[in-house]
Amino acid sequence: MAAKNAFYAQSGGVTAVINSTACGLIQEARRHPDQIGKVYAGRDGIIGALTEDLIDTSLETDEDIARLRHTPGGAFGSCRYKLKSLEQHKAQYERLIEVFKAHDIGYFFYNGGNDSMDTAWKVSQIAEKMGYPVVCVGVPKTVDNDLPHTDCCPGFGSVAKYVATSIREAGYDVASMARTSTKIFVLEVMGRHAGWITAACGLASGNAGEPPHILLFPEVPFDPERFLARVDECVKQYGYCTVAVSEGLSDAAGKLIAESGTKDAFGHSQLGGVGQVVAQLIKDKLGYKYHWALADYLQRAARHLASKTDIEQAHALGVAAVNLALQGKNAVMATVERLADRPYRWQIGDAPLAEIANVERKMLPEFISADGFHITEACRTYLQPLIEGEEPPPYRNGLPDYIRLKNIAVPKKLEAFAI
Amino acid sequence: MAAKNAFYAQSGGVTAVINSTACGLIQEARRHPDQIGKVYAGRDGIIGALTEDLIDTSLETDEDIARLRHTPGGAFGSCRYKLKSLEQHKAQYERLIEVFKAHDIGYFFYNGGNDSMDTAWKVSQIAEKMGYPVVCVGVPKTVDNDLPHTDCCPGFGSVAKYVATSIREAGYDVASMARTSTKIFVLEVMGRHAGWITAACGLASGNAGEPPHILLFPEVPFDPERFLARVDECVKQYGYCTVAVSEGLSDAAGKLIAESGTKDAFGHSQLGGVGQVVAQLIKDKLGYKYHWALADYLQRAARHLASKTDIEQAHALGVAAVNLALQGKNAVMATVERLADRPYRWQIGDAPLAEIANVERKMLPEFISADGFHITEACRTYLQPLIEGEEPPPYRNGLPDYIRLKNIAVPKKLEAFAI
């Protein structure tokens, strides 16, 4: 069989290590020139395929591709753009196949979360139906850590390491100041539906009394009275209290706590601000001075503090995706399989896209402590290996030295297509 | 002369490297047992002296003292507690001398900012007057970088490195997402009166178009129209726009912008939130989707990303303070003197406390670009060396391994004293 080109796209919110996957994938593809011609990347994700805006990664040097391993963000651009059902968006799926055909693309690698796996699965179906078979392989990526059939999702381990480090460091700060000044510190972290990132903050407190003292999960309805009682208990016992709160914290009726606070003045519903709401609640009811931080994009872009485990898994999954495709494994996602907890051992596996698309993996109930305010030992056992190891980027002039690729476009061959 | 004990206190907001100063100071004192007996530290800063709550640092091992070099926060606790004039608080100054006398303390090292240098100076005066001479040496510390007579202030270089790294990383993230999602990213940083930290963010943009695109300084009155025009220009030119804003951003009348926004609902004036105010302004007027982050304590506690230059200067100033004291230099502060910009060369100097107390060093006007939205080359030349070099802490279980000292109290000899 003559070599076919490959198409790779990054999807959804980017991470500190999604480029490590791109790095592994492109490097591995370059090792098989007899089977894979060029790797084209979608500029701004799947939109690049729809608009035939392809990037020719063969024009990047091996050195620059290697530097993707230590560069955060999405090197080719990403997008939040979900293709709907085949019925609703049939023209778009057909356009994808048309673009693939025009550029002799025989492999489709989609690097994303749930929605992307759903899209990859649908593309594999329609390609078959249209008589232009394309091997479709999903590559997991999401800080939300909510994909099934894989031990974890690349991107999550690095966010986990960042938030746990950050709340530990802020805890040292607050502990110093608590006698006469700030007694409360609240860190708001990502996680709309699942508390994985909030749980990761808990890794910083190895012993009783160490920050963070309280975790507020989206899975546990917020009970102000119980929360305030626990805060007060911590301040009386330790002199201060640190809290990690998920952006998705909700009350018993399912209403976001973020929407009950400072946001009303503007009348908008964008998340971000629940940290201040709970901090201000403490101030109002208990009178303690607070500080709060909103990590936002800093947490998922912090390549300078990425987990080596995460970087390695992200890279290995990129490599694996190519090998799965070369084995003709269609409509699967490369996965991480845990073999042992401590020391952590893992291997690459794969799972059918059909079983992954639109299935969300929730936090396990047994990972949350009985009082709802912390993590259990079982949770630590699961999370601990994911944050281990450091692989700092090179520094130049005191700052991480990241790469911006040339990202040269492949000449278009088709008519324009409106998305 | 028989050896006298020394008293060391940390003051005001702590930093990622104030313990590096403590480390240098205690290590150097231990090298002169003939002249310095024990180093006592104030528990929670100067309050520890007033309440005779002294920590015996001689009970800590050399290894643990060495670990202070890589531990953020204040190892002995700090406080926001300013002694007023000698007339108003005479009893407190007398109490200090009484405690010093009771514990045979002949050296007073005060590690802080402007207020602390003022206190150290006053103590030197009253000690003389009360016939119990104490050698008083100030050691600079403040992320605000606003002490005169020193090239920079320990703590600042590490915050500078953290914020510049953070906005660079977030910039890579936003650039990836901008086509279909977030186009605006705002990072709020510390700096109530001086824009040093905001300026440091500017180091991340070496070339035109690189994040951060806009800096909002407290020194430049906020002009919403001009700001929005510049934001729109950036989005049209680069596809996105990143902004670093100082918590102290004010309008032409001197009113804090933070107080014009989300804070009103609660009616409190604590800073923090200006980032959201300007981001929301962009959304309301230009319609661009935004994300914003509030670094808060994370920026000044981030020892994992501290500047090696900063760590070394902090340590050297602790060492120097002891040597100044042993030379009998009373009422001085140890300083950093810049000898050359590139490569950066510096040496330790000293300056009279009387010339430092309550003098604030502002950002130089020539450090802000003509349009008020960025830094000049002169500013880069000044700031660049302060963020250079890395000296990461040791990691254990994937997280920085910081030390908590035993902090054993010295037995009290005096009656209690109400503060």
Side-chain angles (χ1 to χ4, degrees):
Chain A
M1 183 177 100
K4 288 265 183 187
N5 295 320
F7 175 73
Y8 167 75
Q10 303 180 318
S11 180
V14 294
T15 77
V17 303
I18 187 171
N19 289 334
S20 182
T21 295
C23 171
L25 190 145
I26 295 169
Q27 287 175 334
E28 188 64 13
R30 289 185 178 188
R31 294 186 56 232
H32 299 278
D34 51 323
Q35 291 161 282
I36 299 180
K38 292 180 174 184
V39 176
Y40 294 141
R43 195 185 303 277
D44 301 315
I46 200 73
I47 284 179
L50 292 169
T51 59
E52 205 196 352
D53 194 351
L54 309 180
I55 291 166
D56 187 349
T57 72
S58 75
L59 302 175
E60 312 289 345
T61 63
D62 285 347
E63 291 67 34
D64 282 354
I65 294 300
R67 292 171 76 195
L68 287 181
R69 184 173 166 115
H70 66 247
T71 296
F76 309 108
S78 184
C79 65
R80 294 199 181 281
Y81 187 86
K82 187 182 178 178
L83 278 78
K84 294 188 189 152
S85 69
L86 284 170
E87 293 67 38
Q88 283 178 281
H89 275 190
K90 189 145 182 270
Q92 297 202 329
Y93 289 94
E94 288 171 354
R95 167 71 175 187
L96 278 183
I97 302 301
E98 198 187 349
V99 170
F100 288 173
K101 218 184 243 182
H103 293 276
D104 199 26
I105 289 164
Y107 307 99
F108 172 36
F109 299 109
Y110 207 20
N111 198 178
N114 274 302
D115 289 353
S116 312
M117 296 310 127
D118 182 52
T119 299
W121 181 57
K122 285 175 181 151
V123 170
S124 72
Q125 290 182 294
I126 199 160
E128 189 100 359
K129 214 177 279 180
M130 287 175 66
Y132 183 79
V134 175
V135 180
C136 298
V137 176
V139 201
K141 173 263 11 165
T142 169
V143 298
D144 294 333
N145 202 39
D146 59 358
L147 285 165
H149 292 292
T150 182
D151 185 50
C152 56
C153 303
F156 170 67
S158 294
V159 174
K161 188 182 185 86
Y162 177 89
V163 296
T165 297
S166 295
I167 202 150
R168 169 170 288 182
E169 291 181 330
Y172 272 78
D173 190 309
V174 183
S176 317
M177 306 302 297
R179 178 146 171 196
T180 57
S181 183
T182 307
K183 285 186 169 53
I184 306 296
F185 180 77
V186 177
L187 175 63
E188 176 177 333
V189 300
M190 287 180 164
R192 282 163 194 249
H193 307 298
W196 291 112
I197 297 176
T198 308
C201 292
L203 290 173
S205 69
N207 300 306
E210 283 180 1
H213 303 97
I214 300 177
L215 306 178
L216 296 175
F217 299 99
E219 289 86 353
V220 181
F222 184 57
D223 177 341
E225 300 306 318
R226 282 188 59 242
F227 170 66
L228 290 167
R230 180 76 188 115
V231 169
D232 207 28
E233 196 175 62
C234 289
V235 172
K236 295 208 160 89
Q237 192 168 359
Y238 310 119
Y240 68 111
C241 181
T242 53
V243 180
V245 55
S246 164
E247 61 181 336
L249 184 71
S250 302
D251 65 17
K255 188 177 184 304
L256 285 169
I257 301 300
E259 290 177 356
S260 66
T262 57
K263 297 307 184 97
D264 290 5
F266 294 124
H268 69 92
S269 64
Q270 190 176 3
L271 292 182
V274 63
Q276 188 169 27
V277 173
V278 301
Q280 186 61 34
L281 177 71
I282 295 169
K283 178 84 164 68
D284 291 345
K285 301 295 183 182
L286 302 175
Y288 299 134
K289 186 182 172 193
Y290 71 81
H291 266 250
W292 77 288
L294 175 63
D296 196 69
Y297 279 178
L298 305 193
Q299 69 200 286
R300 71 179 204 195
R303 178 57 185 81
H304 76 272
L305 187 60
S307 150
K308 187 176 172 65
T309 303
D310 193 27
I311 297 162
E312 285 175 347
Q313 291 182 337
H315 192 271
L317 288 162
V319 172
V322 170
N323 289 316
L324 287 168
L326 293 181
Q327 291 159 29
K329 284 218 177 183
N330 189 25
V332 298
M333 181 183 84
T335 63
V336 172
E337 295 175 353
R338 181 179 297 222
L339 302 174
D341 290 323
R342 179 174 286 255
Y344 185 46
R345 288 191 305 112
W346 54 276
Q347 68 185 16
I348 292 293
D350 61 273
L353 284 174
E355 289 181 18
I356 291 165
N358 298 316
V359 179
E360 204 178 346
R361 181 175 65 165
K362 299 266 185 195
M363 272 276 284
L364 301 179
E366 59 263 38
F367 280 5
I368 300 178
S369 64
D371 68 0
F373 290 137
H374 225 289
I375 54 173
T376 60
E377 275 307 306
C379 188
R380 288 181 190 278
T381 300
Y382 167 68
L383 291 173
Q384 184 57 49
L386 308 184
I387 67 165
E388 284 188 8
E390 294 75 47
E391 188 181 304
Y395 281 76
R396 196 164 53 91
N397 296 332
L399 295 175
D401 188 18
Y402 298 135
I403 175 80
R404 278 185 210 281
L405 298 177
K406 296 195 288 286
N407 283 351
I408 297 166
V410 178
K412 296 192 181 194
K413 301 182 176 182
L414 302 171
E415 302 280 302
F417 179 84
I419 57 166
Chain B
M1 183 176 101
K4 288 265 184 189
N5 295 320
F7 176 74
Y8 167 75
Q10 302 180 319
S11 179
V14 294
T15 78
V17 302
I18 187 171
N19 288 335
S20 182
T21 295
C23 170
L25 191 145
I26 295 169
Q27 287 175 333
E28 188 64 14
R30 288 183 178 190
R31 293 186 56 233
H32 299 279
D34 51 323
Q35 290 162 284
I36 300 181
K38 293 179 174 184
V39 176
Y40 295 140
R43 193 184 305 274
D44 301 314
I46 200 73
I47 285 180
L50 292 169
T51 58
E52 204 195 353
D53 194 352
L54 308 180
I55 291 165
D56 188 350
T57 71
S58 75
L59 302 175
E60 311 288 346
T61 64
D62 285 347
E63 291 69 32
D64 281 353
I65 294 300
R67 293 171 75 194
L68 287 181
R69 184 175 167 114
H70 66 247
T71 296
F76 310 109
S78 184
C79 64
R80 294 200 181 281
Y81 187 86
K82 188 183 177 176
L83 276 78
K84 295 188 190 151
S85 68
L86 284 170
E87 293 68 37
Q88 283 177 279
H89 275 189
K90 189 143 183 273
Q92 296 202 330
Y93 289 95
E94 287 171 354
R95 167 70 176 187
L96 279 183
I97 302 301
E98 197 188 348
V99 170
F100 289 173
K101 216 186 246 182
H103 293 276
D104 200 26
I105 289 164
Y107 307 98
F108 172 38
F109 300 109
Y110 207 22
N111 199 177
N114 273 301
D115 290 352
S116 311
M117 296 309 129
D118 182 54
T119 299
W121 181 56
K122 284 175 180 149
V123 170
S124 73
Q125 289 182 296
I126 200 160
E128 190 98 2
K129 214 178 279 178
M130 286 176 67
Y132 183 80
V134 175
V135 179
C136 297
V137 176
V139 201
K141 174 266 5 169
T142 167
V143 297
D144 294 333
N145 202 38
D146 61 357
L147 286 165
H149 293 291
T150 183
D151 185 50
C152 56
C153 302
F156 170 68
S158 294
V159 174
K161 189 181 185 86
Y162 177 88
V163 295
T165 297
S166 295
I167 202 152
R168 168 169 288 181
E169 291 182 327
Y172 272 78
D173 191 309
V174 183
S176 317
M177 306 302 297
R179 179 148 172 197
T180 56
S181 182
T182 307
K183 284 187 171 50
I184 307 295
F185 180 77
V186 178
L187 174 63
E188 176 177 333
V189 301
M190 287 180 164
R192 280 162 194 250
H193 308 297
W196 291 111
I197 296 175
T198 307
C201 291
L203 290 173
S205 69
N207 299 305
E210 284 180 0
H213 304 97
I214 300 177
L215 307 177
L216 296 175
F217 299 99
E219 289 86 354
V220 180
F222 184 58
D223 177 340
E225 301 305 317
R226 283 188 59 245
F227 170 67
L228 289 167
R230 181 76 189 112
V231 169
D232 207 28
E233 197 175 60
C234 288
V235 172
K236 295 207 160 91
Q237 192 168 359
Y238 310 118
Y240 67 111
C241 180
T242 53
V243 180
V245 55
S246 164
E247 61 182 335
L249 183 71
S250 302
D251 64 17
K255 187 177 183 309
L256 286 169
I257 301 300
E259 290 178 353
S260 66
T262 56
K263 297 307 185 96
D264 290 4
F266 294 125
H268 68 94
S269 64
Q270 190 177 5
L271 291 183
V274 63
Q276 187 169 29
V277 174
V278 301
Q280 187 61 35
L281 177 71
I282 296 168
K283 178 84 164 69
D284 290 343
K285 302 293 183 182
L286 302 174
Y288 298 135
K289 185 182 174 194
Y290 70 83
H291 267 250
W292 78 288
L294 175 64
D296 196 69
Y297 280 179
L298 305 192
Q299 70 201 286
R300 74 179 201 194
R303 177 58 184 82
H304 76 272
L305 188 59
S307 152
K308 186 175 172 68
T309 303
D310 194 26
I311 297 163
E312 285 176 347
Q313 290 181 338
H315 191 271
L317 287 161
V319 171
V322 169
N323 289 315
L324 287 167
L326 294 181
Q327 290 159 31
K329 284 219 180 183
N330 189 23
V332 299
M333 181 182 84
T335 63
V336 173
E337 295 174 355
R338 182 179 297 221
L339 302 174
D341 290 323
R342 179 174 285 255
Y344 185 46
R345 288 191 304 112
W346 54 277
Q347 67 185 16
I348 293 293
D350 61 273
L353 285 174
E355 289 182 19
I356 291 165
N358 298 316
V359 179
E360 205 179 345
R361 179 173 69 165
K362 299 265 185 196
M363 271 276 283
L364 301 178
E366 60 264 36
F367 279 6
I368 300 178
S369 64
D371 69 0
F373 289 139
H374 225 288
I375 55 173
T376 60
E377 274 308 305
C379 187
R380 286 180 193 279
T381 301
Y382 167 69
L383 290 174
Q384 184 57 52
L386 309 184
I387 67 165
E388 283 186 7
E390 294 73 48
E391 189 181 303
Y395 282 77
R396 197 163 53 91
N397 296 333
L399 295 176
D401 187 18
Y402 298 136
I403 174 82
R404 281 186 208 278
L405 298 177
K406 297 194 288 283
N407 282 350
I408 296 166
V410 177
K412 296 192 183 197
K413 300 183 176 182
L414 302 172
E415 302 280 302
F417 179 84
I419 57 167

